[in-house]
Amino acid sequence: MKETVTYLDMTAPDQLNPAAPVPGLVLEPLDRDSPLVVDIQAEIGAPYGWKSASRSSEEWLVWFAEAPDRTFWLLSFEGEPAGLVSCDLHPDGEVEIETFGLLPKFVGKGLGGFALTLAVQQAWESAPSANRVWLHTSTLDHPHALPNYHRRGFRPFRTEERERS
């Protein structure tokens, strides 16, 4: 299946165009050993064919080992798990939002803009000396993902056409 992957970034915290707050939506630290990391990521990615939706236990171990400094954050809405954010701190002063997404039952409820605002604020706070926060999305992801990234202030820096297996 063909997809276009768009890489986007911001190079300063003041480039964030925050969405209006959503009462009841919070971002909380999540221990990397929590089973929620795997469960939520698999459920978020299932509708879009993410690798996380079908990883074996061994593949999850490899994924965790590849980035031992990866941090995880639980998006909760009114006390219920609603999504996940993970960030990779790169040695070159960059923070990659490696995972950002809402569980399917929370998609379309008006949470995405503020959820992304919280994720980006956390990414900048994770590394106060960071010079860049970046992420990527695909044409196979939710159709509102790319417009949400643009509205929050992300700008594309690269696109790739590729086949997803």
Side-chain angles (χ1 to χ4, degrees):
M1 182 178 313
K2 286 192 186 285
E3 69 177 326
T4 301
V5 178
T6 302
Y7 295 82
L8 305 104
D9 69 358
M10 23 177 101
T11 55
D14 64 0
Q15 292 174 345
L16 173 63
N17 179 24
V22 174
L25 184 64
V26 297
L27 188 67
E28 307 165 298
L30 184 63
D31 188 280
R32 69 185 288 119
D33 295 327
S34 170
L36 290 176
V37 172
V38 171
D39 294 347
I40 291 176
Q41 195 159 331
E43 191 174 342
I44 289 169
Y48 313 110
W50 290 5
K51 291 178 187 175
S52 62
S54 60
R55 279 187 186 121
S56 68
S57 297
E58 294 77 23
E59 290 169 323
W60 277 110
L61 290 173
V62 169
W63 185 80
F64 279 108
E66 287 173 346
D69 295 330
R70 184 172 288 148
T71 58
F72 297 91
W73 303 87
L74 178 67
L75 284 158
S76 295
F77 182 63
E78 297 179 347
E80 186 177 349
L84 185 78
V85 175
S86 68
C87 292
D88 288 350
L89 307 177
H90 296 284
D92 53 2
E94 298 182 356
V95 179
E96 176 186 359
I97 299 177
E98 202 276 337
T99 302
F100 169 75
L102 295 171
L103 290 166
K105 74 183 245 180
F106 290 98
V107 172
K109 308 279 187 203
L111 304 179
F114 188 55
L116 182 58
T117 296
L118 293 172
V120 173
Q121 289 170 336
Q122 184 57 56
W124 283 112
E125 290 171 15
S126 294
S129 63
N131 55 39
R132 183 173 177 233
V133 169
W134 64 278
L135 48 72
H136 70 277
T137 189
S138 162
T139 50
L140 301 178
D141 288 343
H142 192 281
H144 294 162
L146 186 58
N148 188 22
Y149 297 142
H150 285 297
R151 282 192 301 276
R152 299 292 71 81
F154 281 97
R155 294 293 166 247
F157 66 90
R158 184 173 87 218
T159 58
E160 294 176 351
E161 302 290 327
R162 65 185 186 197
E163 285 288 326
R164 185 184 291 181
S165 51

